[in-house]
PDB file of all heavy atoms in Angstrom:
ATOM      1  N   PRO N 520     -12.508  -6.339 -15.923  1.00 95.00           N
ATOM      2  CA  PRO N 520     -13.394  -6.347 -17.085  1.00 95.00           C
ATOM      3  C   PRO N 520     -13.277  -7.601 -17.944  1.00 95.00           C
ATOM      4  O   PRO N 520     -14.233  -7.954 -18.645  1.00 95.00           O
ATOM      5  CB  PRO N 520     -12.970  -5.102 -17.868  1.00 95.00           C
ATOM      6  CG  PRO N 520     -11.569  -4.834 -17.420  1.00 95.00           C
ATOM      7  CD  PRO N 520     -11.511  -5.260 -15.985  1.00 95.00           C
ATOM      8  N   ALA N 521     -12.156  -8.290 -17.916  1.00 97.00           N
ATOM      9  CA  ALA N 521     -11.984  -9.485 -18.757  1.00 97.00           C
ATOM     10  C   ALA N 521     -12.460 -10.756 -18.065  1.00 97.00           C
ATOM     11  O   ALA N 521     -12.481 -11.823 -18.678  1.00 97.00           O
ATOM     12  CB  ALA N 521     -10.516  -9.642 -19.148  1.00 97.00           C
ATOM     13  N   GLU N 689      -2.587  -7.461 -26.456  1.00 96.00           N
ATOM     14  CA  GLU N 689      -3.468  -8.056 -25.451  1.00 96.00           C
ATOM     15  C   GLU N 689      -3.984  -7.077 -24.413  1.00 96.00           C
ATOM     16  O   GLU N 689      -4.743  -7.476 -23.521  1.00 96.00           O
ATOM     17  CB  GLU N 689      -2.735  -9.203 -24.741  1.00 96.00           C
ATOM     18  CG  GLU N 689      -2.322 -10.333 -25.665  1.00 96.00           C
ATOM     19  CD  GLU N 689      -3.515 -10.942 -26.403  1.00 96.00           C
ATOM     20  OE1 GLU N 689      -4.575 -11.113 -25.763  1.00 96.00           O
ATOM     21  OE2 GLU N 689      -3.387 -11.231 -27.605  1.00 96.00           O
ATOM     22  N   MET N 696      -6.042  -5.891 -19.513  1.00 97.00           N
ATOM     23  CA  MET N 696      -5.954  -7.037 -20.407  1.00 97.00           C
ATOM     24  C   MET N 696      -7.318  -7.333 -21.011  1.00 97.00           C
ATOM     25  O   MET N 696      -8.351  -7.311 -20.324  1.00 97.00           O
ATOM     26  CB  MET N 696      -5.425  -8.255 -19.647  1.00 97.00           C
ATOM     27  CG  MET N 696      -4.833  -9.321 -20.544  1.00 97.00           C
ATOM     28  SD  MET N 696      -3.861 -10.513 -19.589  1.00 97.00           S
ATOM     29  CE  MET N 696      -3.207 -11.505 -20.951  1.00 97.00           C
ATOM     30  N   LYS N 697      -7.328  -7.621 -22.307  1.00 97.00           N
ATOM     31  CA  LYS N 697      -8.561  -7.943 -23.008  1.00 97.00           C
ATOM     32  C   LYS N 697      -8.939  -9.403 -22.730  1.00 97.00           C
ATOM     33  O   LYS N 697      -8.085 -10.228 -22.415  1.00 97.00           O
ATOM     34  CB  LYS N 697      -8.375  -7.738 -24.510  1.00 97.00           C
ATOM     35  CG  LYS N 697      -7.928  -6.354 -24.911  1.00 97.00           C
ATOM     36  CD  LYS N 697      -7.573  -6.313 -26.395  1.00 97.00           C
ATOM     37  CE  LYS N 697      -6.999  -4.981 -26.816  1.00 97.00           C
ATOM     38  NZ  LYS N 697      -6.562  -4.972 -28.244  1.00 97.00           N
ATOM     39  N   PRO N 698     -10.229  -9.730 -22.851  1.00 97.00           N
ATOM     40  CA  PRO N 698     -10.622 -11.145 -22.706  1.00 97.00           C
ATOM     41  C   PRO N 698      -9.933 -11.994 -23.775  1.00 97.00           C
ATOM     42  O   PRO N 698      -9.917 -11.640 -24.950  1.00 97.00           O
ATOM     43  CB  PRO N 698     -12.136 -11.105 -22.925  1.00 97.00           C
ATOM     44  CG  PRO N 698     -12.548  -9.697 -22.621  1.00 97.00           C
ATOM     45  CD  PRO N 698     -11.383  -8.840 -23.048  1.00 97.00           C
ATOM     46  N   SER N 699      -9.320 -13.082 -23.347  1.00 97.00           N
ATOM     47  CA  SER N 699      -8.600 -13.952 -24.275  1.00 97.00           C
ATOM     48  C   SER N 699      -8.223 -15.232 -23.549  1.00 97.00           C
ATOM     49  O   SER N 699      -8.333 -15.339 -22.324  1.00 97.00           O
ATOM     50  CB  SER N 699      -7.319 -13.274 -24.782  1.00 97.00           C
ATOM     51  OG  SER N 699      -6.379 -13.154 -23.729  1.00 97.00           O
ATOM     52  N   ALA N 700      -7.730 -16.192 -24.306  1.00 97.00           N
ATOM     53  CA  ALA N 700      -7.206 -17.422 -23.700  1.00 97.00           C
ATOM     54  C   ALA N 700      -5.984 -17.118 -22.842  1.00 97.00           C
ATOM     55  O   ALA N 700      -5.730 -17.818 -21.847  1.00 97.00           O
ATOM     56  CB  ALA N 700      -6.848 -18.432 -24.788  1.00 97.00           C
ATOM     57  N   TYR N 702      -5.567 -14.400 -20.978  1.00 98.00           N
ATOM     58  CA  TYR N 702      -6.085 -13.927 -19.689  1.00 98.00           C
ATOM     59  C   TYR N 702      -6.622 -15.095 -18.871  1.00 98.00           C
ATOM     60  O   TYR N 702      -6.376 -15.191 -17.668  1.00 98.00           O
ATOM     61  CB  TYR N 702      -7.186 -12.885 -19.897  1.00 98.00           C
ATOM     62  CG  TYR N 702      -7.767 -12.375 -18.599  1.00 98.00           C
ATOM     63  CD1 TYR N 702      -7.099 -11.396 -17.862  1.00 98.00           C
ATOM     64  CD2 TYR N 702      -8.963 -12.881 -18.094  1.00 98.00           C
ATOM     65  CE1 TYR N 702      -7.623 -10.933 -16.658  1.00 98.00           C
ATOM     66  CE2 TYR N 702      -9.485 -12.426 -16.891  1.00 98.00           C
ATOM     67  CZ  TYR N 702      -8.808 -11.453 -16.184  1.00 98.00           C
ATOM     68  OH  TYR N 702      -9.320 -11.012 -14.978  1.00 98.00           O
TER      69      TYR N 702
END
Side-chain angles (χ1 to χ4, degrees):
E689 299 302 319
M696 201 165 185
K697 303 172 185 176
S699 69
Y702 179 80

